[in-house]
Amino acid sequence: SLEGEEDGWYDDRDGNRVRVKPTTLLFASALRAVAKSHEIAAKFQGGTSKKNRKRETIASYHGRLTRKIVIMAEQAEVTQDDGFVAALMLCAAAAGDSSTARAVYLASKVRRLDHLRTCGGKDHLGKLQGMIPEGDRRLLGEGESGSSDSTLTISGDALSGIGGDGGGNPNNNTPALKSIEDEYAESHSAYEHREYGTDTRLLSTLLLSHSKAMEPKGLGSMWAGRYNRGYLCPNSLRYIEAYVKPQMENMAIPGLNSVEAGLSPEGWEKDFGEDE
């Protein structure tokens, strides 16, 4: 390769060396294909049959595919937009797991937040940053050593400076400068809303997951249980696929067939010996 990297370089049909970079559309299309495959298997290949845990086997197979695609998307560091999130929720909806679909929806909302509100006071914020709280410093005797409090706790100027300018003045109304990428993102989102309207893919997929979970004789009952953690958990996928072979006990009476055992007044006694 020209850059000395082998990742992303492939040989096309003509034998030429080309480089293909993964995109969000690539992984979203793969997720939608997995969801479509699961729906086809549920309709035409007995994917809802409980015999020999066939529905669990099919759901576990598609769940492993979905998990692998999500891991590859994380490693490629592609932008996980609404189309990608809707495709991932569609995979969970096809399996009847509405809880995982809701978790994916909430995780996508939290992941796109720029500023998360931190709960707690100054001592709690200090613990999060690895600092010693004020009460513990008094017990350790560091409060009388004359050390500066700004090195151990978050100063009030730093807290008041959040939302203001760099000098700690929160009342400065000077607008912050936007980068070219931010301006392009805002203009592109406005163009999408103007041309295509409100995007309802996430909400419609969320409603579909609830309908699939509540469907009679569907796949929603497959995700019950205290040890089940959902469609994207590898341990849960192995757990639902595992089949516990029942241990049948032989209740036949020695020396009698089934007809004679049914007509005779004798019954089965487990504790009798051979000499009796």
Side-chain angles (χ1 to χ4, degrees):
S1 63
L2 299 177
E3 300 177 0
E5 298 177 356
E6 294 295 332
D7 295 337
W9 291 88
Y10 302 95
D11 295 331
D12 59 0
R13 296 180 179 179
D14 298 333
N16 299 324
R17 193 74 168 172
V18 296
R19 186 175 186 181
V20 179
K21 293 183 178 180
T23 59
T24 306
L25 182 60
L26 176 67
F27 295 105
S29 301
L31 290 175
R32 283 194 292 267
V34 172
K36 189 66 176 179
S37 174
H38 199 173
E39 292 179 357
I40 293 175
K43 288 182 179 179
F44 303 107
Q45 297 182 2
T48 58
S49 176
K50 298 181 180 180
K51 186 177 181 180
N52 296 329
R53 288 186 175 267
K54 190 171 183 179
R55 65 171 189 172
E56 285 83 359
T57 303
I58 294 177
S60 178
Y61 171 75
H62 289 87
R64 289 193 297 268
L65 285 179
T66 304
R67 180 179 173 83
K68 187 175 182 180
I69 293 172
V70 172
I71 292 175
M72 293 174 63
E74 289 285 347
Q75 293 176 352
E77 296 181 355
V78 296
T79 303
Q80 298 181 7
D81 55 0
D82 290 341
F84 180 87
V85 176
L88 182 57
M89 293 172 59
L90 191 62
C91 294
D97 190 3
S98 60
S99 299
T100 300
R102 291 197 306 268
V104 171
Y105 176 75
L106 293 177
S108 66
K109 292 297 183 182
V110 174
R111 194 170 188 176
R112 297 175 188 178
L113 295 178
D114 295 331
H115 304 285
L116 297 178
R117 180 178 178 271
T118 306
C119 298
K122 295 182 179 180
D123 293 340
H124 179 67
L125 295 177
K127 289 181 180 180
L128 293 178
Q129 296 184 357
M131 301 178 182
I132 303 176
E134 184 178 358
D136 296 342
R137 286 191 291 107
R138 292 178 181 177
L139 295 177
L140 295 176
E142 295 182 1
E144 300 176 357
S145 61
S147 60
S148 178
D149 293 337
S150 61
T151 60
L152 296 176
T153 57
I154 301 176
S155 61
D157 296 337
L159 292 176
S160 62
I162 299 175
D165 56 357
N169 185 11
N171 298 323
N172 191 0
N173 297 324
T174 303
L177 297 178
K178 296 181 180 180
S179 61
I180 299 177
E181 292 80 4
D182 296 339
E183 293 181 356
Y184 173 77
E186 291 183 359
S187 62
H188 186 67
S189 61
Y191 169 78
E192 288 182 347
H193 187 270
R194 183 174 62 254
E195 292 294 328
Y196 305 107
T198 305
D199 190 1
T200 59
R201 289 177 294 180
L202 295 177
L203 297 180
S204 61
T205 309
L206 188 62
L207 293 176
L208 178 63
S209 65
H210 284 278
S211 65
K212 290 284 187 179
M214 299 300 295
E215 187 178 4
K217 297 182 180 180
L219 303 178
S221 60
M222 189 171 50
W223 307 104
R226 57 183 300 183
Y227 298 105
N228 202 320
R229 298 186 181 275
Y231 181 70
L232 296 177
C233 179
N235 295 328
S236 299
L237 294 177
R238 289 195 298 266
Y239 175 75
I240 64 174
E241 191 179 4
Y243 178 72
V244 180
K245 186 176 181 180
Q247 301 293 332
M248 300 297 182
E249 186 177 359
N250 187 12
M251 301 297 293
I253 301 175
L256 298 177
N257 56 22
S258 59
V259 178
E260 294 176 351
L263 297 177
S264 64
E266 298 180 1
W268 173 258
E269 296 180 2
K270 297 182 180 180
D271 298 333
F272 71 90
E274 297 180 355
D275 53 348
E276 295 181 0

